[in-house]
Amino acid sequence: MGEPTAAIGNDTDDEWVGVLRARRVRFDGTELQRSEIPFTVPARSTTRIVLPSTLVDVGDAGSEVLVADADDARATWYFAEPRDSALPAQDLEVVSQPAPGGTEVTVTARAFARDVTLLVDKVSPDAQADSALHTLLPGESVVIRVRHDGASLGADDLRDPRVLRTANQLVSA
């Protein structure tokens, strides 16, 4: 394996100055290694940051993930394929509330959740989620806005395992 590298892209007209927080984390949420690296990305360009090799000195490839956060952006890198991972059973909390033009859905992970996605068209044929494939560490949440006509979508319908999907389900199936 070559040097672990994070690429940070800036597609705005302004310079992006921030801190990249890179962590190697067990699926149970235990942080094993951390590095915080300041960066500057000029407007409309990409900067590559070499990460410390300690971030990829994996102890258990099937139960660890490399997580890199910069402001609202997150990237993950896995040391094993999903089928070779010790992903826990899906354990997510779902709260929904009416929002203009649809429903706002908050999904909170009680256990590590890889690639959280709402297949909302199974609940309402015209529904469209504004994002998908979120990876959440235990205790983290994501807000997904769902555009649709009619009444707000209920949390019970949205937590149905045919609607609320993760890679965890595929591994445990």
Side-chain angles (χ1 to χ4, degrees):
M1 179 184 331
E3 290 181 316
T5 305
I8 302 177
N10 178 3
D11 62 357
T12 71
D13 290 329
D14 300 313
E15 179 178 78
W16 183 11
V17 177
V19 175
L20 176 70
R21 183 173 62 134
R23 304 170 284 157
R24 185 166 45 92
V25 181
R26 279 195 199 121
F27 291 164
D28 68 7
T30 303
E31 187 174 293
L32 301 169
Q33 188 71 36
R34 169 195 287 258
S35 184
E36 294 190 3
I37 305 164
F39 66 85
T40 300
V41 184
R44 307 249 174 242
S45 65
T46 300
T47 295
R48 296 186 192 294
I49 299 172
V50 175
L51 302 174
S53 62
T54 55
L55 286 171
V56 294
D57 289 340
V58 65
D60 181 0
S63 65
E64 296 178 20
V65 60
L66 180 61
V67 180
D69 296 303
D71 294 340
D72 293 344
R74 170 172 280 180
T76 53
W77 192 80
Y78 296 89
F79 300 97
E81 294 295 321
R83 69 178 173 272
D84 299 323
S85 297
L87 292 170
Q90 180 169 300
D91 190 4
L92 300 166
E93 177 184 328
V94 177
V95 176
S96 68
Q97 63 184 26
T103 303
E104 184 176 275
V105 183
T106 302
V107 179
T108 303
R110 292 186 209 120
F112 181 82
R114 181 174 178 173
D115 298 339
V116 174
T117 301
L118 285 172
L119 303 179
V120 293
D121 61 327
K122 293 183 180 289
V123 177
S124 177
D126 72 321
Q128 297 176 345
D130 71 346
S131 62
L133 300 174
H134 299 278
T135 294
L136 301 174
L137 299 174
E140 291 183 336
S141 297
V142 64
V143 175
I144 301 171
R145 287 166 187 78
V146 181
R147 292 181 307 277
H148 61 88
D149 295 326
S152 179
L153 303 178
D156 287 340
D157 291 332
L158 294 168
R159 83 173 55 90
D160 182 306
R162 294 168 299 150
V163 177
L164 179 60
R165 303 293 296 175
T166 66
N168 301 48
Q169 291 170 302
L170 301 175
V171 171
S172 64

